[in-house]
């Protein structure tokens, strides 16, 4: 069942408009439910509750006998199909509650609805918990024999991934306790974090603005405005750092307790299992990126300081636009056409799917107080369709973000055919479609530029995006590892967390950036640290992977689009080795990551040659 980081608002919100960006779409969640009090939502919950109890009465304690019985494979497959349908129903409820919360997480009604839905779904799903636990206790030989039946063989990828957790599974009683307490434990701390962040305002030009608008000012052309925004962010972060420190300490300890009980051998083992990726592959990626810091981020930011006429960049200059950049306001209609044109140039099918998001109300674009920061694509459930959230402000980077999230959306639409249990893609591969969508859009924009200075600015902007996706995310992963390791020795103060943050950022960004006072608090708004520990390396994995994929496409495009769409359509049924084999790529090879990093190096080389 898809859970969702808490975050929502009224379905009847009108579109926001401005002379700079034009009308911005607000999503229509009516395809899920007509409202929080919709009769069909209450009916789904009641039906799921009754069906879950009936399912438990039918199958609890009987799976071993079922697997060994005549036609055991067919009977197990029938049980899994019933379980899958229940997951789809419960996932629909939580998707709706989560998306509504994402629209305005400061609305008390939305917060209550989300909390109530989470409690109700957790209670219902407790009756289903036995099923995966018992499947994992099945004898290997008995399951292998049952899997010879075609109906059960369909679910072989799901069973494979489920049984990866087999060595770490606890008793049914403890698993049930962890499941039920997740609402009042980890889930509650996630909500506290989101609602605290959602209520923060920052003084910009004498007026309070939400976090997303304040962060956007760090890309303003005027240095004074960037500095003022940075200082405002630091001031508010510092005023709330106690809460963020408590949340971080509590969740790190909560994870340590569960990791210890499950006997995980590393703080990131659970993430690697969920991502279906080998620890040594992640270690090779991290090692390759960290060794490349001098040739990537250090070298680029030294160049940027020179372009801006500075000895060193202040931290608020890191994303400053270059003097030659043309980053005027891009109307929503042009952003739409840019992304769809780039997708269509690759394959019409990709553009046709992406176009549905615009035409059918599947995108929420305006900034609003209380709205979730950043951007995401939520797959919801296969019986419905995905939704995309962005905070569109009319900049080139916003267009790239739109391309990124629509890449996710296309992937989720294609993968939905695999059903509720196998549609979800491991995070490492989930980022592949999004980053590929960005690359297509970048190449489209670059091809339309004839002016040398604008071309240089566009390439520089792409380098910065890639550094943010690769270097910054691996630095985040390094930070998380250090925090979770240090937390095992005792509670961390805000000063200790800030010190680790500054050390990791200094290592990754290099000597050309001055990390002045105030920056030590900037770790607190990175929500991935709270919602999805160790998620962040997936971005670097996806970027390097896409760089290698795009090189294959550039060298031999015939048939590439078909193979690429087949890869996306596989959902979670195939591991990275199987997905990449048709392209002649293997992420387990030590030299693989350097191929991806060489693309970034090559773009920086090009910028240096133009000096």
């Amino acid at each position: 069942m898809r859970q969702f980081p808490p975050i929502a608002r009224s379905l009847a919100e009108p579109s926001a408009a401005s002379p700079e960006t034009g009308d911005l779409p607000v999503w229509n969640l009516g395809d899920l439910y007509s409202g929080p009090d919709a009769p069909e939502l209450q009916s789904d919950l009641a039906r799921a509750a009754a069906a879950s109890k009936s399912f438990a009465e039918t199958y609890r304690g009987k799976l071993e006998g079922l697997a060994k019985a005549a036609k055991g494979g067919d009977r197990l497959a029938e049980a899994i199909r019933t379980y899958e349908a229940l997951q789809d129903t419960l996932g629909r409820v939580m998707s709706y509650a989560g998306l509504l919360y994402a629209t305005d997480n400061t609305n008390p009604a939305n917060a209550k609805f989300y909390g109530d839905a989470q409690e109700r779904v957790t209670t219902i799903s407790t009756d289903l918990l036995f099923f995966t636990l018992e499947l994992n206790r099945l004898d290997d030989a008995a399951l292998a024999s049952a899997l010879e039946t075609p109906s059960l063989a369909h679910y072989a990828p799901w069973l494979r991934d489920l049984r990866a957790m087999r060595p770490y599974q606890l008793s049914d009683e403890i698993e049930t306790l962890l499941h039920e307490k997740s609402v009042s434990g980890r889930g509650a701390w996630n909500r506290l974090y989101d609602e605290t962040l959602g209520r923060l305002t920052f003084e910009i030009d004498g007026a309070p603005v939400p976090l997303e608008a304040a962060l956007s000012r760090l890309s303003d052309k005027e240095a004074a405005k960037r500095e003022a925004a940075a200082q405002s962010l630091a001031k508010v972060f510092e005023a709330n750092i106690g809460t963020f420190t408590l949340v971080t300490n509590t969740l790190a300890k909560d994870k340590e307790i569960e990791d210890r009980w499950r006997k995980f051998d590393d703080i990131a083992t659970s993430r690697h299992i969920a991502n279906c990726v080998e620890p040594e592959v992640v270690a090779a990626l991290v090692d390759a990126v960290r060794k490349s810091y001098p040739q990537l981020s250090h070298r680029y930011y030294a160049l940027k300081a020179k372009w801006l006429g500075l000895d060193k960049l202040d931290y608020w200059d890191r994303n400053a636009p270059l003097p030659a950049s043309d980053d005027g306001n891009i109307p929503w209609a042009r952003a739409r056409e840019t992304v769809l044109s780039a997708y269509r140039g690759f394959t019409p099918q990709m553009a046709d799917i992406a176009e549905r998001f615009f035409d059918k109300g599947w995108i929420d674009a305006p900034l609003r107080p209380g709205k979730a920061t950043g951007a995401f694509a939520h797959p919801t459930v296969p019986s419905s369709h995905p939704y995309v959230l962005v905070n569109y402000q009319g900049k080139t980077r916003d267009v790239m973000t739109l391309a990124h999230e629509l890449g996710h959306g296309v992937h989720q639409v294609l993968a939905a055919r695999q059903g509720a249990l196998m549609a979800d893609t491991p995070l490492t591969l989930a980022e592949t479609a999004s980053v590929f969508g960005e690359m297509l859009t970048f190449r489209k924009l670059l091809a339309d530029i004839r002016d040398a200075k604008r071309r240089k600015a566009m390439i520089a902007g792409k380098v910065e995006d890639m550094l943010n996706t690769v270097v910054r995310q691996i630095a985040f992963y390094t930070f998380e590892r250090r925090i979770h390791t240090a937390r095992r020795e005792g509670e961390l103060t805000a000063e200790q967390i800030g010190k680790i943050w500054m050390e990791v950022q200094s290592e990754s960004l290099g000597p050309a950036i001055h990390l002045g006072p105030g920056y030590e608090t900037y770790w607190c708004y990175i929500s991935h640290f709270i919602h999805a520990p160790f998620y962040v390396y997936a971005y670097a994995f996806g970027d390097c992977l896409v760089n290698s994929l795009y090189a294959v496409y550039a060298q031999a495009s015939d048939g590439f689009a078909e193979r690429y769409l087949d890869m996306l359509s596989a959902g979670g049924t195939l591991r990275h080795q199987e997905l990449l084999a048709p392209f002649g790529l293997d992420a387990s090879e030590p030299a693989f990551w350097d191929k991806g990093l060489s693309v970034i190096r090559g773009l920086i080389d090009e910028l240096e040659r133009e000096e």
Side-chain angles (χ1 to χ4, degrees):
M1 180 186 62
R2 291 170 170 83
Q3 291 286 351
F4 188 77
I7 312 185
R9 179 167 167 169
S10 163
L11 297 177
E13 179 107 32
S15 294
S18 76
E20 293 84 8
T21 58
D23 291 342
L24 295 177
V26 174
W27 54 27
N28 174 16
L29 301 181
D31 290 347
L32 293 170
Y33 296 104
S34 59
D37 298 321
E40 63 270 25
L41 190 154
Q42 300 307 318
S43 174
D44 277 354
L45 284 171
R47 188 170 61 254
S52 295
K53 289 188 179 300
S54 174
F55 184 83
E57 290 170 3
T58 302
Y59 292 109
R60 192 193 305 272
K62 301 172 184 176
L63 296 189
E64 185 176 1
L66 209 62
K68 295 178 179 178
K71 296 186 177 180
D74 287 329
R75 295 173 71 185
L76 274 179
E78 181 183 356
I80 294 174
R81 280 194 297 272
T82 303
Y83 175 82
E84 183 174 37
L86 285 166
Q87 293 301 313
D88 191 279
T89 299
L90 295 175
R92 174 181 286 264
V93 172
M94 283 311 303
S95 295
Y96 177 74
L99 291 169
L100 190 61
Y101 187 54
T103 315
D104 181 0
N105 62 18
T106 63
N107 183 322
N110 289 343
K112 174 176 168 49
F113 176 69
Y114 179 84
D116 288 348
Q118 195 174 43
E119 288 183 17
R120 185 80 186 276
V121 167
T122 299
T123 298
I124 293 170
S125 59
T126 299
D127 284 325
L128 303 174
L129 188 60
F130 80 92
F131 188 62
T132 54
L133 301 177
E134 286 193 28
L135 284 173
N136 269 352
R137 286 199 294 268
L138 291 180
D139 177 73
D140 286 337
L143 182 60
S145 176
L147 280 168
E148 293 176 5
T149 306
S151 59
L152 185 62
H154 169 74
Y155 291 104
W158 179 69
L159 290 166
R160 172 202 65 200
D161 294 343
L162 179 68
R163 288 169 76 84
M165 274 294 291
R166 193 180 181 195
Y168 312 105
Q169 185 169 297
L170 303 174
S171 69
D172 288 12
E173 292 79 7
I174 295 177
E175 293 286 0
T176 301
L177 177 65
L178 290 172
H179 180 71
E180 291 191 7
K181 281 184 67 65
S182 64
V183 174
S184 58
R186 183 172 60 251
W189 288 99
N190 274 258
R191 274 188 63 187
L192 173 62
Y193 174 85
D194 284 329
E195 292 177 20
T196 300
L197 203 64
R199 289 189 175 94
L200 298 184
T201 59
F202 306 83
E203 187 173 322
I204 302 291
D205 294 337
V209 301
L211 175 61
E212 197 69 32
L215 290 171
S216 178
R217 275 299 185 96
L218 297 179
S219 299
D220 197 278
K221 286 201 171 193
E222 295 183 30
K225 289 184 178 181
R226 295 196 301 272
E227 181 178 2
Q231 300 297 350
S232 181
L233 286 160
K235 180 180 178 181
V236 175
F237 289 159
E238 177 60 34
N240 292 273
I241 204 67
T243 299
F244 294 128
T245 299
L246 176 60
V247 171
T248 298
N249 271 292
T250 302
L251 288 174
K253 182 61 178 177
D254 180 80
K255 186 178 185 305
E256 183 274 326
I257 292 170
E258 184 168 339
D259 284 0
R260 176 161 35 87
W261 275 82
R262 293 192 185 280
K263 295 182 171 56
F264 287 135
D265 56 4
D266 184 77
I267 53 179
T269 295
S270 58
R271 176 60 62 199
H272 300 333
I273 292 172
N275 284 348
C276 303
V277 64
E278 301 79 7
E280 56 272 19
V281 172
V282 178
L285 164 65
V286 173
D287 185 59
V289 174
R290 292 183 70 180
K291 284 181 178 177
S292 296
Y293 285 169
Q295 286 300 306
L296 299 178
S297 48
H298 297 191
R299 185 162 60 122
Y300 174 77
Y301 291 125
L303 272 176
K304 184 167 186 176
K306 182 179 176 182
W307 295 333
L308 296 180
L310 302 170
D311 293 328
K312 280 190 173 187
L313 299 171
D314 282 302
Y315 69 84
W316 52 79
D317 296 324
R318 185 171 60 84
N319 288 323
L322 297 183
S325 64
D326 179 15
D327 207 16
N329 282 297
I330 301 170
W332 178 256
R334 183 145 62 93
R336 166 184 171 143
E337 178 53 33
T338 297
V339 175
L340 292 181
S341 176
Y343 279 21
R344 188 165 287 109
F346 176 64
T347 171
Q349 185 178 349
M350 195 169 173
D352 291 344
I353 295 172
E355 195 164 23
R356 294 184 215 163
F357 285 78
F358 294 98
D359 293 343
K360 295 179 177 291
W362 298 356
I363 303 176
D364 193 275
L367 274 74
R368 286 188 302 271
K371 180 178 174 179
T373 60
F376 63 74
H378 192 303
T380 74
V381 288
S383 61
S384 185
H385 57 77
Y387 285 92
V388 161
L389 179 146
V390 294
N391 283 278
Y392 189 78
Q393 299 180 70
K395 305 300 181 184
T396 300
R397 189 162 273 139
D398 294 318
V399 178
M400 300 300 287
T401 298
L402 179 63
H404 179 104
E405 299 306 335
L406 285 171
H408 279 307
V410 169
H411 192 177
Q412 291 159 356
V413 168
L414 290 170
R417 67 190 65 177
Q418 300 297 342
L421 298 181
M422 296 183 292
D424 284 347
T425 305
L427 297 178
T428 42
L429 295 168
E431 292 302 331
T432 302
S434 55
V435 178
F436 196 85
E438 275 191 81
M439 180 65 81
L440 291 172
T441 304
F442 165 70
R443 294 294 179 184
K444 164 68 177 169
L445 289 169
L446 191 64
D448 292 341
I449 294 175
R450 297 292 177 262
D451 180 77
K453 289 184 178 180
R454 287 187 60 214
R455 176 183 169 82
K456 175 182 175 181
M458 175 63 74
I459 293 173
K462 180 58 178 174
V463 168
E464 291 189 13
D465 287 343
M466 295 170 96
L467 293 179
N468 285 335
T469 304
V470 177
V471 170
R472 186 165 168 81
Q473 304 305 323
I474 292 302
F476 284 174
Y477 178 69
T478 304
F479 170 74
E480 283 190 279
R481 291 195 65 90
R482 289 188 58 182
I483 291 297
H484 282 261
T485 300
R487 180 64 181 89
R488 295 188 173 193
E489 302 302 317
E491 190 158 312
L492 300 173
T493 65
E495 290 74 20
Q496 287 173 305
I497 297 175
K499 183 174 183 292
I500 293 172
W501 171 258
M502 294 292 273
E503 289 172 354
V504 169
Q505 292 298 301
S506 179
E507 176 199 21
S508 64
L509 297 175
I513 293 186
H514 172 59
L515 302 178
Y519 192 67
E520 70 278 359
T521 63
Y522 271 57
W523 58 270
C524 72
Y525 79 90
I526 310 299
S527 60
H528 290 79
F529 298 157
I530 305 302
H531 292 305
F534 307 111
Y535 176 110
V536 288
Y537 73 73
Y539 289 110
F541 193 111
D543 195 278
C544 290
L545 182 54
V546 163
N547 289 341
S548 297
L549 272 175
Y550 200 88
V552 173
Y553 170 56
Q555 292 166 8
S557 60
D558 288 349
F560 182 93
E562 290 78 7
R563 283 177 285 153
Y564 177 77
L565 294 178
D566 286 344
M567 180 180 76
L568 300 189
S569 299
T573 63
L574 301 177
R575 295 287 180 90
H576 63 84
Q577 297 96 329
E578 301 163 296
L579 287 170
L580 296 178
F583 305 95
L585 299 172
D586 184 354
S588 65
E589 292 181 355
F592 174 82
W593 301 113
D594 193 62
K595 292 178 185 176
L597 296 173
S598 68
V599 174
I600 311 176
R601 283 198 299 270
L603 290 174
I604 299 174
D605 289 344
E606 184 175 344
L607 292 171
E608 281 188 329
R609 285 194 297 271
E610 294 182 8
E611 281 297 289

